[in-house]
Structure formats: C-alpha cells, structure tokens
Coordinates of all heavy atoms in Angstrom, one line a residue:
M195 N 0.8 -1.2 0.0 CA 0.0 0.0 0.0 C 0.9 1.2 0.0 O 1.9 1.3 0.7 CB -0.9 0.0 1.2 CG -1.8 1.2 1.3 SD -3.4 0.6 1.4 CE -4.4 1.8 2.0
H196 N 0.5 2.2 -0.8 CA 1.3 3.4 -1.0 C 0.7 4.5 0.0 O -0.6 4.7 0.0 CB 1.2 3.9 -2.4 CG 2.2 5.0 -2.8 ND1 2.0 6.3 -2.3 CD2 3.3 4.9 -3.5 CE1 3.0 7.0 -2.8 NE2 3.8 6.2 -3.5
A197 N 1.5 5.2 0.7 CA 1.0 6.2 1.6 C 0.4 7.4 0.8 O 0.8 7.6 -0.3 CB 2.1 6.7 2.5
P198 N -0.6 8.1 1.3 CA -1.1 9.3 0.6 C 0.0 10.3 0.3 O 1.0 10.4 1.0 CB -2.1 9.9 1.6 CG -2.5 8.8 2.5 CD -1.3 7.9 2.6
W199 N -0.1 11.0 -0.8 CA 0.9 11.9 -1.3 C 0.3 13.3 -1.2 O -0.6 13.7 -1.9 CB 1.2 11.6 -2.7 CG 2.3 12.5 -3.3 CD1 3.4 13.0 -2.7 CD2 2.4 12.8 -4.7 NE1 4.2 13.7 -3.6 CE2 3.6 13.6 -4.9 CE3 1.6 12.6 -5.8 CZ2 3.9 14.1 -6.1 CZ3 2.0 13.1 -7.0 CH2 3.1 13.9 -7.2
E200 N 0.8 14.1 -0.2 CA 0.3 15.4 0.0 C 1.0 16.4 -0.8 O 2.3 16.4 -0.8 CB 0.3 15.8 1.5 CG -0.5 14.9 2.4 CD -0.5 15.3 3.8 OE1 -0.2 16.5 4.2 OE2 -0.7 14.4 4.7
R201 N 0.3 17.3 -1.5 CA 0.9 18.3 -2.4 C 0.7 19.7 -1.8 O -0.3 19.9 -1.1 CB 0.3 18.2 -3.8 CG 0.4 16.8 -4.4 CD 1.8 16.4 -4.7 NE 2.5 17.3 -5.5 CZ 3.8 17.6 -5.4 NH1 4.5 17.0 -4.5 NH2 4.3 18.5 -6.2
P202 N 1.6 20.6 -2.2 CA 1.4 22.0 -1.8 C 0.0 22.5 -2.3 O -0.4 22.1 -3.4 CB 2.5 22.8 -2.4 CG 3.6 21.7 -2.7 CD 2.8 20.4 -2.9
G203 N -0.6 23.3 -1.5 CA -1.9 23.8 -1.9 C -3.1 23.0 -1.4 O -4.2 23.4 -1.6
G204 N -2.8 21.9 -0.7 CA -3.9 21.2 -0.1 C -4.4 19.9 -0.8 O -5.3 19.3 -0.3
T205 N -3.9 19.6 -2.0 CA -4.3 18.4 -2.7 C -3.6 17.2 -2.1 O -2.4 17.2 -2.0 CB -4.1 18.5 -4.2 OG1 -4.8 19.6 -4.7 CG2 -4.5 17.3 -4.9
T206 N -4.3 16.1 -1.8 CA -3.7 14.9 -1.4 C -4.2 13.8 -2.4 O -5.4 13.6 -2.7 CB -4.2 14.5 0.0 OG1 -3.8 15.6 0.9 CG2 -3.5 13.2 0.5
F207 N -3.2 13.0 -2.8 CA -3.5 11.9 -3.7 C -3.5 10.6 -2.8 O -2.6 10.4 -2.1 CB -2.4 11.7 -4.8 CG -2.4 12.8 -5.8 CD1 -1.7 14.0 -5.6 CD2 -3.2 12.6 -7.0 CE1 -1.7 15.0 -6.6 CE2 -3.3 13.6 -7.9 CZ -2.5 14.8 -7.7
Y208 N -4.6 9.8 -3.0 CA -4.7 8.5 -2.3 C -4.6 7.4 -3.3 O -5.2 7.5 -4.4 CB -6.1 8.4 -1.6 CG -6.2 9.5 -0.5 CD1 -6.7 10.7 -0.7 CD2 -5.7 9.2 0.8 CE1 -6.8 11.7 0.2 CE2 -5.8 10.1 1.8 CZ -6.4 11.4 1.5 OH -6.5 12.3 2.5
F209 N -3.8 6.4 -3.0 CA -3.6 5.3 -4.0 C -4.5 4.1 -3.5 O -4.3 3.6 -2.4 CB -2.1 4.9 -4.0 CG -1.3 6.1 -4.4 CD1 -0.8 7.0 -3.5 CD2 -0.9 6.2 -5.7 CE1 -0.1 8.1 -4.0 CE2 -0.1 7.2 -6.2 CZ 0.3 8.2 -5.3
V210 N -5.4 3.7 -4.4 CA -6.3 2.6 -4.1 C -5.9 1.4 -5.1 O -5.8 1.6 -6.3 CB -7.8 3.0 -4.4 CG1 -8.7 1.9 -4.1 CG2 -8.1 4.2 -3.5
T211 N -5.7 0.3 -4.5 CA -5.3 -0.9 -5.3 C -6.3 -2.0 -5.3 O -6.0 -3.1 -5.8 CB -3.9 -1.4 -4.8 OG1 -4.1 -1.8 -3.5 CG2 -2.9 -0.3 -5.0
D212 N -7.5 -1.8 -4.8 CA -8.4 -2.9 -4.8 C -9.6 -2.7 -5.7 O -10.7 -3.2 -5.5 CB -8.9 -3.2 -3.3 CG -9.6 -2.0 -2.7 OD1 -9.4 -0.9 -3.2 OD2 -10.4 -2.2 -1.8
G213 N -9.4 -2.1 -6.9 CA -10.3 -2.0 -7.9 C -10.9 -0.6 -8.1 O -10.9 0.2 -7.2
I214 N -11.4 -0.4 -9.4 CA -12.0 0.9 -9.7 C -13.2 1.2 -8.9 O -13.5 2.4 -8.6 CB -12.2 1.0 -11.2 CG1 -13.2 0.0 -11.8 CG2 -10.8 0.9 -11.9 CD1 -13.6 0.3 -13.2
E215 N -14.1 0.2 -8.7 CA -15.3 0.5 -8.0 C -15.0 0.9 -6.5 O -15.7 1.8 -6.0 CB -16.2 -0.7 -8.0 CG -16.8 -1.1 -9.3 CD -16.0 -2.0 -10.2 OE1 -14.8 -2.4 -9.7 OE2 -16.4 -2.3 -11.3
S216 N -14.0 0.3 -5.9 CA -13.6 0.7 -4.6 C -13.1 2.1 -4.5 O -13.4 2.9 -3.7 CB -12.6 -0.3 -4.0 OG -12.1 0.1 -2.8
A217 N -12.3 2.4 -5.5 CA -11.7 3.7 -5.6 C -12.8 4.8 -5.7 O -12.8 5.8 -5.1 CB -10.7 3.8 -6.7
L218 N -13.7 4.5 -6.6 CA -14.8 5.5 -6.8 C -15.7 5.6 -5.6 O -16.1 6.7 -5.2 CB -15.6 5.1 -8.1 CG -16.7 6.1 -8.5 CD1 -16.1 7.4 -8.8 CD2 -17.4 5.6 -9.8
R219 N -16.0 4.5 -5.0 CA -16.8 4.5 -3.8 C -16.1 5.4 -2.7 O -16.8 6.2 -2.0 CB -17.1 3.1 -3.3 CG -18.0 2.9 -2.1 CD -18.3 1.5 -1.8 NE -17.2 0.6 -1.7 CZ -16.8 -0.3 -2.6 NH1 -17.5 -0.4 -3.7 NH2 -15.7 -1.0 -2.4
Q220 N -14.8 5.2 -2.5 CA -14.1 5.9 -1.5 C -14.1 7.4 -1.8 O -14.2 8.3 -0.9 CB -12.7 5.4 -1.3 CG -12.6 4.0 -0.7 CD -11.2 3.5 -0.7 OE1 -10.3 4.1 -0.2 NE2 -11.0 2.3 -1.2
A221 N -13.9 7.7 -3.1 CA -13.8 9.1 -3.5 C -15.2 9.8 -3.3 O -15.2 10.9 -2.8 CB -13.4 9.2 -5.0
R222 N -16.3 9.1 -3.6 CA -17.6 9.7 -3.4 C -17.9 9.9 -2.0 O -18.5 10.9 -1.6 CB -18.7 8.7 -4.0 CG -18.7 8.8 -5.5 CD -19.9 7.9 -6.0 NE -20.0 8.1 -7.5 CZ -20.4 7.1 -8.3 NH1 -20.6 5.9 -7.9 NH2 -20.5 7.4 -9.6
A223 N -17.4 9.0 -1.1 CA -17.6 9.2 0.3 C -17.0 10.5 0.8 O -17.5 11.2 1.7 CB -17.1 8.0 1.1
V224 N -15.8 10.8 0.3 CA -15.1 12.0 0.7 C -15.6 13.2 0.0 O -15.7 14.3 0.7 CB -13.6 11.8 0.4 CG1 -12.8 13.1 0.7 CG2 -13.0 10.7 1.2
A225 N -15.9 13.1 -1.3 CA -16.3 14.3 -2.0 C -17.7 14.8 -1.8 O -18.0 16.0 -2.1 CB -16.1 14.0 -3.5
G226 N -18.6 13.9 -1.3 CA -20.0 14.3 -1.2 C -20.6 14.7 -2.5 O -20.6 13.9 -3.4
N227 N -21.0 15.9 -2.7 CA -21.6 16.4 -4.0 C -20.5 17.0 -4.9 O -20.9 17.5 -5.9 CB -22.7 17.4 -3.7 CG -23.9 16.7 -3.1 OD1 -24.2 15.6 -3.4 ND2 -24.7 17.5 -2.3
G228 N -19.3 17.0 -4.4 CA -18.2 17.7 -5.2 C -17.7 16.8 -6.3 O -18.1 15.6 -6.4
D229 N -16.9 17.4 -7.2 CA -16.4 16.6 -8.3 C -15.3 15.6 -7.8 O -14.7 15.9 -6.8 CB -15.7 17.6 -9.3 CG -16.7 18.4 -10.1 OD1 -17.9 18.0 -10.2 OD2 -16.3 19.4 -10.7
I230 N -15.1 14.6 -8.6 CA -14.1 13.6 -8.3 C -13.1 13.5 -9.4 O -13.5 13.5 -10.6 CB -14.8 12.2 -8.1 CG1 -15.7 12.2 -6.9 CG2 -13.7 11.1 -7.9 CD1 -16.6 11.0 -6.7
R231 N -11.9 13.5 -9.1 CA -10.8 13.4 -10.1 C -10.0 12.2 -9.9 O -9.5 12.0 -8.8 CB -9.9 14.7 -10.1 CG -9.2 14.9 -11.3 CD -8.6 16.3 -11.3 NE -9.6 17.3 -11.7 CZ -9.3 18.1 -12.8 NH1 -8.2 18.0 -13.4 NH2 -10.2 18.9 -13.1
I232 N -9.9 11.3 -10.8 CA -9.2 10.1 -10.7 C -8.0 10.2 -11.6 O -8.1 10.5 -12.8 CB -10.0 8.9 -11.1 CG1 -11.3 8.8 -10.2 CG2 -9.2 7.6 -11.1 CD1 -12.3 7.9 -10.7
A233 N -6.8 9.9 -11.1 CA -5.6 10.0 -11.9 C -5.1 8.6 -12.3 O -5.3 7.6 -11.5 CB -4.5 10.7 -11.1
G234 N -4.5 8.5 -13.4 CA -4.0 7.2 -13.9 C -3.6 7.3 -15.4 O -3.8 8.3 -16.0
G235 N -3.2 6.2 -15.9 CA -2.8 6.2 -17.3 C -3.9 5.6 -18.2 O -5.1 5.6 -17.8
A236 N -3.5 5.1 -19.4 CA -4.5 4.6 -20.3 C -5.3 3.5 -19.8 O -6.5 3.4 -20.0 CB -3.7 4.2 -21.6
N237 N -4.7 2.6 -19.0 CA -5.4 1.4 -18.5 C -6.5 1.9 -17.5 O -7.6 1.3 -17.5 CB -4.4 0.5 -17.8 CG -5.1 -0.8 -17.3 OD1 -5.7 -0.8 -16.2 ND2 -5.0 -1.8 -18.1
T238 N -6.2 2.9 -16.7 CA -7.2 3.4 -15.8 C -8.4 4.0 -16.6 O -9.5 3.8 -16.2 CB -6.6 4.5 -14.8 OG1 -5.5 3.8 -14.1 CG2 -7.6 5.0 -13.9
I239 N -8.1 4.8 -17.6 CA -9.1 5.4 -18.4 C -10.0 4.3 -19.0 O -11.2 4.4 -19.0 CB -8.5 6.3 -19.5 CG1 -7.9 7.6 -18.8 CG2 -9.6 6.8 -20.5 CD1 -7.0 8.4 -19.8
Q240 N -9.3 3.3 -19.6 CA -10.1 2.2 -20.3 C -11.0 1.5 -19.3 O -12.2 1.3 -19.6 CB -9.1 1.2 -20.9 CG -8.3 1.8 -22.0 CD -7.1 0.9 -22.4 OE1 -6.9 -0.1 -21.9 NE2 -6.4 1.4 -23.4
Q241 N -10.5 1.3 -18.1 CA -11.4 0.6 -17.1 C -12.6 1.4 -16.7 O -13.7 0.8 -16.7 CB -10.6 0.3 -15.8 CG -9.5 -0.8 -16.0 CD -8.8 -1.1 -14.7 OE1 -9.4 -1.5 -13.7 NE2 -7.5 -0.9 -14.7
Y242 N -12.4 2.6 -16.5 CA -13.6 3.5 -16.1 C -14.5 3.7 -17.2 O -15.7 3.7 -17.1 CB -13.1 4.8 -15.5 CG -12.7 4.7 -14.0 CD1 -11.4 4.4 -13.6 CD2 -13.7 4.8 -13.0 CE1 -11.1 4.3 -12.3 CE2 -13.4 4.6 -11.7 CZ -12.0 4.4 -11.3 OH -11.7 4.2 -10.0
L243 N -14.0 3.9 -18.4 CA -14.8 4.1 -19.6 C -15.7 2.9 -19.9 O -16.9 2.9 -20.0 CB -14.0 4.4 -20.9 CG -13.6 5.8 -21.1 CD1 -12.6 5.9 -22.3 CD2 -14.8 6.7 -21.3
N244 N -15.0 1.7 -19.9 CA -15.7 0.5 -20.2 C -16.8 0.1 -19.1 O -17.7 -0.6 -19.4 CB -14.7 -0.7 -20.4 CG -14.0 -0.6 -21.7 OD1 -14.5 0.0 -22.7 ND2 -12.8 -1.0 -21.7
A245 N -16.5 0.6 -17.9 CA -17.5 0.3 -16.8 C -18.6 1.4 -16.8 O -19.6 1.2 -16.0 CB -16.8 0.3 -15.5
G246 N -18.5 2.4 -17.6 CA -19.5 3.4 -17.7 C -19.6 4.3 -16.5 O -20.6 4.8 -16.1
L247 N -18.4 4.5 -15.8 CA -18.4 5.2 -14.6 C -17.9 6.7 -14.6 O -17.8 7.3 -13.6 CB -17.5 4.5 -13.6 CG -18.0 3.1 -13.2 CD1 -17.0 2.3 -12.4 CD2 -19.3 3.2 -12.5
I248 N -17.6 7.2 -15.8 CA -17.1 8.6 -15.9 C -17.9 9.4 -16.9 O -18.4 8.8 -17.9 CB -15.6 8.7 -16.2 CG1 -15.2 7.9 -17.5 CG2 -14.8 8.2 -15.0 CD1 -13.8 8.1 -17.9
D249 N -18.0 10.7 -16.7 CA -18.7 11.6 -17.6 C -17.7 12.4 -18.5 O -18.1 12.8 -19.6 CB -19.5 12.7 -16.8 CG -20.5 12.0 -15.9 OD1 -21.2 11.1 -16.3 OD2 -20.6 12.5 -14.7
E250 N -16.5 12.6 -18.0 CA -15.5 13.3 -18.8 C -14.1 12.8 -18.3 O -14.0 12.3 -17.2 CB -15.6 14.8 -18.7 CG -15.3 15.3 -17.3 CD -15.4 16.8 -17.2 OE1 -16.4 17.4 -17.7 OE2 -14.4 17.4 -16.7
F251 N -13.1 13.1 -19.2 CA -11.8 12.8 -18.7 C -10.8 13.7 -19.5 O -11.2 14.2 -20.6 CB -11.4 11.3 -18.9 CG -11.5 10.8 -20.3 CD1 -10.4 10.7 -21.1 CD2 -12.7 10.4 -20.9 CE1 -10.5 10.2 -22.4 CE2 -12.8 9.9 -22.2 CZ -11.7 9.8 -22.9
T252 N -9.6 13.8 -19.0 CA -8.6 14.7 -19.6 C -7.4 13.8 -19.8 O -7.0 13.0 -18.9 CB -8.2 15.8 -18.7 OG1 -9.4 16.6 -18.4 CG2 -7.2 16.7 -19.3
I253 N -6.8 13.9 -21.0 CA -5.5 13.3 -21.3 C -4.5 14.3 -21.5 O -4.7 15.3 -22.2 CB -5.6 12.3 -22.5 CG1 -6.6 11.2 -22.3 CG2 -4.2 11.8 -22.9 CD1 -6.8 10.3 -23.4
H254 N -3.3 14.2 -20.8 CA -2.2 15.1 -21.0 C -1.2 14.4 -21.9 O -0.5 13.5 -21.5 CB -1.6 15.4 -19.6 CG -2.7 15.8 -18.6 ND1 -3.3 17.1 -18.6 CD2 -3.3 15.1 -17.6 CE1 -4.1 17.1 -17.6 NE2 -4.2 15.9 -17.0
Y255 N -1.2 14.9 -23.1 CA -0.2 14.3 -24.1 C 1.1 15.1 -24.1 O 1.2 16.3 -24.3 CB -0.8 14.5 -25.5 CG -2.0 13.6 -25.8 CD1 -3.3 14.2 -25.8 CD2 -1.9 12.3 -26.1 CE1 -4.4 13.4 -26.1 CE2 -3.0 11.5 -26.4 CZ -4.3 12.1 -26.4 OH -5.4 11.3 -26.7
A256 N 2.1 14.3 -23.7 CA 3.5 14.9 -23.7 C 4.3 14.3 -24.9 O 4.2 13.1 -25.1 CB 4.2 14.6 -22.4
P257 N 4.9 15.1 -25.7 CA 5.6 14.6 -26.9 C 6.6 13.5 -26.7 O 6.8 12.7 -27.5 CB 6.3 15.9 -27.5 CG 5.5 17.0 -26.9 CD 5.0 16.6 -25.6
V258 N 7.1 13.4 -25.5 CA 8.1 12.4 -25.3 C 7.5 11.0 -25.3 O 8.2 10.0 -25.5 CB 8.9 12.6 -23.9 CG1 9.3 14.0 -23.8 CG2 8.2 12.1 -22.7
V259 N 6.2 10.9 -25.0 CA 5.6 9.5 -25.0 C 4.9 9.1 -26.3 O 4.4 8.1 -26.4 CB 4.6 9.4 -23.8 CG1 5.3 9.6 -22.5 CG2 3.4 10.4 -24.0
F260 N 4.9 10.0 -27.3 CA 4.2 9.7 -28.5 C 5.0 8.5 -29.1 O 6.2 8.4 -29.2 CB 4.3 10.8 -29.5 CG 3.3 12.0 -29.2 CD1 3.5 13.2 -29.8 CD2 2.3 11.8 -28.2 CE1 2.6 14.2 -29.5 CE2 1.5 12.8 -27.9 CZ 1.6 14.0 -28.5
G261 N 4.2 7.5 -29.5 CA 4.8 6.2 -30.1 C 5.1 5.2 -29.0 O 5.5 4.1 -29.4
H262 N 5.0 5.5 -27.8 CA 5.3 4.6 -26.7 C 4.1 4.4 -25.8 O 3.2 5.2 -25.8 CB 6.5 5.1 -25.9 CG 7.7 5.3 -26.7 ND1 8.3 4.3 -27.5 CD2 8.4 6.4 -26.9 CE1 9.4 4.9 -28.1 NE2 9.4 6.1 -27.8
G263 N 4.1 3.4 -24.9 CA 3.1 3.2 -23.9 C 1.8 2.6 -24.5 O 1.8 2.0 -25.6
T264 N 0.8 2.6 -23.7 CA -0.5 2.0 -24.1 C -1.4 3.0 -24.8 O -1.6 4.1 -24.2 CB -1.2 1.5 -22.8 OG1 -0.4 0.6 -22.1 CG2 -2.5 0.9 -23.1
P265 N -1.9 2.7 -26.0 CA -2.8 3.7 -26.6 C -4.1 3.8 -25.8 O -4.6 2.8 -25.4 CB -3.1 3.0 -28.0 CG -2.0 2.0 -28.2 CD -1.6 1.6 -26.8
P266 N -4.5 5.0 -25.5 CA -5.6 5.2 -24.5 C -6.9 4.6 -24.9 O -7.7 4.3 -24.1 CB -5.7 6.7 -24.4 CG -4.8 7.3 -25.4 CD -3.9 6.3 -25.9
F267 N -7.1 4.5 -26.2 CA -8.4 4.0 -26.7 C -8.4 2.6 -27.3 O -9.4 2.1 -27.9 CB -9.1 5.0 -27.7 CG -9.1 6.4 -27.1 CD1 -8.4 7.4 -27.7 CD2 -9.8 6.7 -26.0 CE1 -8.4 8.7 -27.2 CE2 -9.8 8.0 -25.5 CZ -9.1 9.0 -26.1
A268 N -7.3 1.9 -27.2 CA -7.1 0.6 -27.8 C -8.1 -0.5 -27.3 O -8.5 -1.3 -28.1 CB -5.7 0.1 -27.6
N269 N -8.4 -0.5 -26.0 CA -9.2 -1.5 -25.5 C -10.6 -1.0 -25.1 O -11.2 -1.6 -24.2 CB -8.5 -2.2 -24.3 CG -7.3 -2.9 -24.7 OD1 -7.3 -3.6 -25.7 ND2 -6.2 -2.6 -24.0
M270 N -11.0 0.1 -25.7 CA -12.3 0.7 -25.3 C -13.5 0.0 -26.0 O -13.4 -0.4 -27.2 CB -12.3 2.2 -25.8 CG -13.4 3.0 -25.2 SD -13.2 4.7 -25.4 CE -14.0 4.9 -27.0
N271 N -14.5 -0.2 -25.3 CA -15.8 -0.7 -25.8 C -16.2 0.2 -27.0 O -16.4 1.4 -26.9 CB -16.9 -0.7 -24.7 CG -18.2 -1.2 -25.2 OD1 -18.5 -1.2 -26.4 ND2 -19.0 -1.7 -24.3
P272 N -16.4 -0.4 -28.2 CA -16.7 0.4 -29.4 C -18.1 1.1 -29.3 O -18.3 2.0 -30.1 CB -16.7 -0.6 -30.5 CG -16.8 -2.0 -29.9 CD -16.3 -1.9 -28.5
D273 N -18.9 0.7 -28.4 CA -20.2 1.3 -28.2 C -20.1 2.6 -27.4 O -21.1 3.4 -27.4 CB -21.2 0.4 -27.5 CG -21.5 -0.8 -28.4 OD1 -21.5 -0.7 -29.6 OD2 -21.8 -1.9 -27.8
I274 N -19.0 2.9 -26.8 CA -18.8 4.1 -26.0 C -18.4 5.2 -27.0 O -17.4 5.0 -27.8 CB -17.7 3.9 -24.9 CG1 -18.2 2.8 -23.9 CG2 -17.4 5.2 -24.3 CD1 -17.2 2.4 -23.0
K275 N -19.1 6.3 -26.9 CA -18.7 7.4 -27.8 C -18.2 8.6 -27.0 O -18.7 8.9 -25.9 CB -20.0 7.9 -28.6 CG -20.7 6.8 -29.4 CD -19.7 6.3 -30.5 CE -20.4 5.2 -31.3 NZ -19.5 4.2 -31.8
I276 N -17.1 9.1 -27.4 CA -16.5 10.2 -26.8 C -16.4 11.4 -27.7 O -16.3 11.2 -29.0 CB -15.1 9.9 -26.2 CG1 -14.1 9.4 -27.3 CG2 -15.2 8.9 -25.1 CD1 -12.7 9.3 -26.8
K277 N -16.3 12.6 -27.2 CA -16.2 13.8 -28.0 C -15.2 14.7 -27.4 O -15.3 15.0 -26.2 CB -17.6 14.4 -28.2 CG -17.6 15.7 -29.0 CD -19.0 16.2 -29.1 CE -19.0 17.5 -29.9 NZ -20.4 18.1 -29.9
M278 N -14.3 15.2 -28.2 CA -13.3 16.2 -27.7 C -14.0 17.5 -27.4 O -14.7 18.0 -28.3 CB -12.2 16.4 -28.7 CG -11.1 17.3 -28.1 SD -9.9 17.9 -29.3 CE -9.4 16.3 -30.1
R279 N -13.9 18.0 -26.2 CA -14.6 19.3 -25.8 C -13.6 20.4 -25.9 O -14.0 21.5 -26.3 CB -15.1 19.2 -24.4 CG -15.7 20.5 -24.0 CD -16.4 20.6 -22.6 NE -16.2 19.4 -21.7 CZ -15.8 19.5 -20.5 NH1 -15.4 20.7 -20.0 NH2 -15.7 18.4 -19.8
E280 N -12.3 20.2 -25.4 CA -11.4 21.3 -25.4 C -10.0 20.8 -25.5 O -9.7 19.7 -25.0 CB -11.6 22.0 -24.0 CG -10.8 23.2 -23.8 CD -11.0 23.9 -22.5 OE1 -11.8 23.4 -21.6 OE2 -10.4 24.9 -22.2
A281 N -9.2 21.6 -26.2 CA -7.7 21.3 -26.3 C -7.0 22.5 -25.8 O -7.2 23.7 -26.3 CB -7.4 21.0 -27.7
V282 N -6.1 22.3 -24.8 CA -5.3 23.4 -24.3 C -3.8 23.1 -24.5 O -3.2 22.3 -23.8 CB -5.6 23.6 -22.8 CG1 -4.8 24.8 -22.2 CG2 -7.1 23.8 -22.5
P283 N -3.2 23.7 -25.5 CA -1.8 23.4 -25.8 C -0.8 24.3 -25.0 O -1.2 25.4 -24.5 CB -1.7 23.8 -27.3 CG -2.7 24.9 -27.5 CD -3.8 24.6 -26.5
S284 N 0.4 23.7 -24.8 CA 1.5 24.5 -24.3 C 2.7 24.0 -25.0 O 2.7 23.1 -25.8 CB 1.6 24.4 -22.8 OG 2.1 23.1 -22.4
Q285 N 3.9 24.5 -24.6 CA 5.1 24.1 -25.2 C 5.5 22.7 -24.8 O 6.2 21.9 -25.5 CB 6.2 25.0 -25.0 CG 6.1 26.3 -25.7 CD 7.3 27.3 -25.5 OE1 8.1 27.0 -24.6 NE2 7.3 28.4 -26.2
E286 N 5.1 22.3 -23.6 CA 5.5 21.0 -23.0 C 4.4 19.9 -23.2 O 4.8 18.7 -23.2 CB 5.8 21.2 -21.5 CG 7.0 22.0 -21.2 CD 6.6 23.5 -21.2 OE1 5.5 23.8 -21.0 OE2 7.5 24.3 -21.4
V287 N 3.1 20.2 -23.2 CA 2.1 19.2 -23.2 C 0.8 19.8 -23.8 O 0.6 21.0 -23.8 CB 1.9 18.8 -21.7 CG1 1.3 19.9 -20.9 CG2 1.0 17.6 -21.6
A288 N 0.0 18.9 -24.3 CA -1.4 19.3 -24.7 C -2.4 18.6 -23.8 O -2.3 17.4 -23.6 CB -1.6 18.9 -26.2
H289 N -3.3 19.4 -23.3 CA -4.3 18.9 -22.4 C -5.6 18.8 -23.2 O -6.1 19.8 -23.7 CB -4.6 19.8 -21.2 CG -3.3 20.2 -20.5 ND1 -2.7 19.4 -19.5 CD2 -2.5 21.3 -20.6 CE1 -1.6 20.0 -19.1 NE2 -1.5 21.1 -19.7
I290 N -6.1 17.6 -23.4 CA -7.3 17.4 -24.2 C -8.4 16.9 -23.2 O -8.3 15.8 -22.6 CB -7.1 16.3 -25.3 CG1 -5.8 16.6 -26.1 CG2 -8.3 16.2 -26.2 CD1 -5.8 17.9 -26.8
I291 N -9.6 17.6 -23.2 CA -10.7 17.2 -22.4 C -11.7 16.5 -23.3 O -12.1 17.1 -24.3 CB -11.3 18.4 -21.7 CG1 -10.2 19.1 -20.8 CG2 -12.5 18.0 -20.8 CD1 -10.6 20.4 -20.2
Y292 N -12.2 15.4 -22.9 CA -13.2 14.6 -23.6 C -14.4 14.5 -22.8 O -14.4 14.3 -21.6 CB -12.7 13.2 -23.9 CG -11.5 13.1 -24.9 CD1 -10.2 13.1 -24.4 CD2 -11.7 13.1 -26.2 CE1 -9.1 13.1 -25.2 CE2 -10.6 13.0 -27.1 CZ -9.3 13.0 -26.6 OH -8.2 12.9 -27.4
D293 N -15.6 14.5 -23.5 CA -16.9 14.2 -22.8 C -17.3 12.8 -23.3 O -17.1 12.4 -24.4 CB -18.0 15.2 -23.3 CG -17.8 16.6 -22.7 OD1 -17.4 16.6 -21.5 OD2 -18.1 17.5 -23.3
V294 N -17.9 12.1 -22.3 CA -18.4 10.8 -22.7 C -19.9 11.0 -23.0 O -20.6 11.5 -22.1 CB -18.2 9.8 -21.5 CG1 -18.8 8.4 -21.8 CG2 -16.8 9.6 -21.1
E295 N -20.3 10.6 -24.2 CA -21.7 10.8 -24.6 C -22.5 9.7 -24.0 O -22.3 8.5 -24.1 CB -21.8 10.8 -26.1 CG -21.1 12.0 -26.7 CD -21.2 12.0 -28.2 OE1 -21.8 11.1 -28.8 OE2 -20.7 13.0 -28.8
K296 N -23.6 10.2 -23.2 CA -24.5 9.2 -22.6 C -25.6 8.8 -23.6 O -26.0 9.6 -24.4 CB -25.1 9.8 -21.3 CG -24.1 10.2 -20.3 CD -23.4 9.0 -19.7 CE -22.4 9.4 -18.7 NZ -21.7 8.3 -18.1
R297 N -26.0 7.6 -23.5 CA -27.0 7.0 -24.4 C -28.3 6.8 -23.6 O -28.3 6.6 -22.5 CB -26.6 5.8 -25.0 CG -25.4 6.1 -25.9 CD -25.0 4.8 -26.6 NE -23.9 5.1 -27.5 CZ -23.8 4.8 -28.7 NH1 -24.8 4.2 -29.3 NH2 -22.8 5.2 -29.5

C-alpha cells in the first residue's frame, strides 16, 4: 500500500489498489456532492470508460511519450462514444478534455 501523497496547496493523492469500484466509492464518500478526479494512465481510463463510470476525462499528451506506452483507446468498448470538448496546448504538453456521450 502506498501512503497518501500530500501536495502544496492542499491536494492529497490517495492510492487505491483494490479495484476501480472501490476507488470510486471511497472518492464519493469523501467528495460528497463535489467533483471527483481520478488519476492514472491509459489502463485506468479504459477501465472506467468500459464500466460506464465517468462523464468526462482529460488526457495530458506529452511529446516524449508519442509512439510509446499504451494507446488510450485501444481496449475501449466500441459502443462508447467520446467527443473532444477542449484542447489546451502549451510548449510541453497538450491537455485534451473529452466528454463521454451518454445514451
């Protein structure tokens, strides 16, 4: 188990290793009616998308990883539709926000 990671400004990251449903349940218990932000890589995004548990997500594309790693949409259920809402570029990274279209 990884200890919580406290960041300047008051944000604390908690590491949950017993499944996505457990992580979401714990986050909801703490957030109440507030937004929940889950951090992770392509595998985490795929799990939450395929389970139908997220409304939107952000991918931070850094040029050093292009061509390497896990493609974020490779194992996505083809019935799930996503739409790019916003792209925020910088010299180091591009932040792309996607909405998950509900059916």
